[in-house]
Amino acid sequence: MEHIVFLDRDTIPDHIALPSPEFDHQWTQYSSTHPEQIIERLRDATIAITNKVVLDAAILAQLPKLKMIAIAATGTNNVDLAYCRQQGITVSNIRGYAIDSVPEHAVAMMFALRRNLLGYHRDIQQGVWQEKKQFCFFTHPIGDIRGATLGIIGGGGLGQAMATLGRALGMKVIFADRKGAPQSREGYLPFSHVLEQADVISLHCPLNHETRNIIGRAELKQMKNSAIVINTGRGGLVDERALIDALASGEIAGAGCDVFTEEPAGKDNPLIANSHLPNLLLTPHVAWGSDSAIQALANQLVDNLNAFAAGIPQNQV
């Protein structure tokens, strides 16, 4: 019998059903798990499910019964994959479940920022319309989407889905090659060229040592003053302090962030502390979270468990 322990069940809403695994098992779940609780909760587990709980080598070394880690998300940076490979622990993640939800969220942010919907909403709240005494007023620039250039960082499933939506909206779509690549692959442009040309930069790449702060002060300076940055990937992809400084100084026109370097973000986080900026749009890591996407995630999560128990693991990383 396999003992399955879900360390952070609350990362999946209660109204989303988790199918029952098709093999003999014991199921234990916790709403959330603090670092000091991990070892005790996984001591007898053979399969661990985690969305965001960190399982590093120091923790895993104390869990000799563990045979599989099922990540209830696409990102794998919370699990020490090298240690798992060395010790023969199978690790599976979730793939393709948010192929509609994340790009649609990014497009919604793009429209809101290009047309300055937040700025106009706040102006109305503050009585600017009454002060202007006209049927309309223009306190913020309004940019069209059609004809704009969409620069995408990350050419995987989400990046390609974002490109499809961009083209459908009449945008010119360009993909950035890896930062510092000596020459560009077919279908990609040099990273710096994309920064210089794009009206919208949308990030859809994983977070690793090569991509951390891939958008920093130097990169923001390369962008158009009218450009906007949208990050629905990982918080560490963008230098948050540098982004706020670029927004405040007018180096770029706007930013939409669904992800943060620490989640939940504290009040001292640069994005949270400056959430009053009219050209900054924040959401709490929910781009992936349409009901249909989360149900697909839940179904695939249990499919990964069933495949492992059947001796044919899938979605291995």
Side-chain angles (χ1 to χ4, degrees), residues 10-313:
D10 277 5
T11 56
I12 297 178
D14 289 339
H15 67 277
I16 300 297
L18 271 172
S20 179
E22 298 172 353
F23 53 91
D24 193 20
H25 69 279
Q26 175 186 347
W27 181 283
T28 304
Q29 65 184 33
Y30 301 95
S31 59
S32 61
T33 296
H34 296 294
E36 65 273 13
Q37 299 173 313
I38 298 173
I39 293 172
E40 181 58 34
R41 291 181 173 182
L42 291 182
R43 191 174 304 280
D44 295 318
T46 56
I47 297 175
I49 303 175
T50 175
N51 189 313
K52 293 294 179 287
V53 176
V54 174
L55 299 177
D56 59 23
I59 290 172
L60 294 171
Q62 301 179 64
L63 302 170
K65 295 182 181 180
L66 199 61
K67 298 187 290 185
M68 181 201 186
I69 299 171
I71 302 175
T74 299
T76 62
N77 52 297
N78 59 320
V79 175
D80 191 323
L81 299 180
Y83 179 89
C84 290
R85 294 188 188 104
Q86 182 183 19
Q87 298 299 317
I89 300 172
T90 298
V91 182
S92 294
N93 70 340
I94 309 297
R95 304 177 189 184
Y97 72 99
I99 207 72
D100 295 321
S101 186
V102 170
E104 286 184 11
H105 193 95
V107 166
M109 285 185 149
M110 178 173 67
F111 270 105
L113 291 163
R114 284 283 287 179
R115 303 197 68 84
N116 266 303
L117 301 187
L118 272 178
Y120 281 109
H121 179 76
R122 294 181 185 185
D123 284 351
I124 287 177
Q125 287 179 315
Q126 294 168 7
V128 174
W129 205 357
Q130 290 72 33
E131 293 173 7
K132 296 294 185 182
K133 300 186 184 337
Q134 293 289 337
F135 79 97
C136 68
F137 61 93
F138 297 98
T139 48
H140 306 281
I142 299 173
D144 291 329
I145 294 298
R146 186 173 187 83
T149 297
L150 171 62
I152 298 175
I153 300 175
L158 292 176
Q160 295 294 337
M162 184 67 179
T164 298
L165 291 181
R167 294 188 187 104
L169 293 168
M171 303 184 79
K172 176 185 177 182
V173 176
I174 55 178
F175 280 91
D177 210 330
R178 295 183 181 91
K179 191 175 180 179
Q183 63 183 54
S184 297
R185 295 164 289 169
E186 184 177 355
Y188 293 81
L189 294 179
F191 187 84
S192 60
H193 290 195
V194 172
L195 296 183
E196 293 166 358
Q197 294 178 31
D199 298 297
V200 180
I201 293 286
S202 192
L203 291 103
H204 300 280
C205 55
L207 177 63
N208 53 44
H209 69 279
E210 293 180 353
T211 61
R212 187 172 298 279
N213 288 337
I214 195 170
I215 300 295
R217 293 187 186 279
E219 291 72 30
L220 291 162
K221 288 182 183 297
Q222 291 182 66
M223 298 179 192
K224 299 176 181 180
N225 291 342
S226 58
I228 63 174
V229 175
I230 298 172
N231 186 12
T232 56
R234 286 290 182 269
L237 296 174
V238 177
D239 182 329
E240 294 170 338
R241 182 70 259 171
L243 181 64
I244 290 299
D245 291 344
L247 290 172
S249 67
E251 271 185 359
I252 64 170
C257 298
D258 182 59
V259 286
F260 301 76
T261 51
E262 291 185 10
E263 297 173 345
K267 292 182 179 180
D268 59 345
N269 177 282
L271 301 177
I272 300 297
N274 292 274
S275 60
H276 60 280
L277 291 173
N279 55 351
L280 175 63
L281 177 56
L282 305 178
T283 52
H285 204 144
V286 293
W288 63 283
S290 68
D291 282 356
S292 60
I294 301 176
Q295 189 62 65
L297 178 152
N299 295 344
Q300 190 178 147
L301 174 65
V302 176
D303 285 346
N304 287 346
L305 302 182
N306 291 333
F308 172 77
I312 48 173

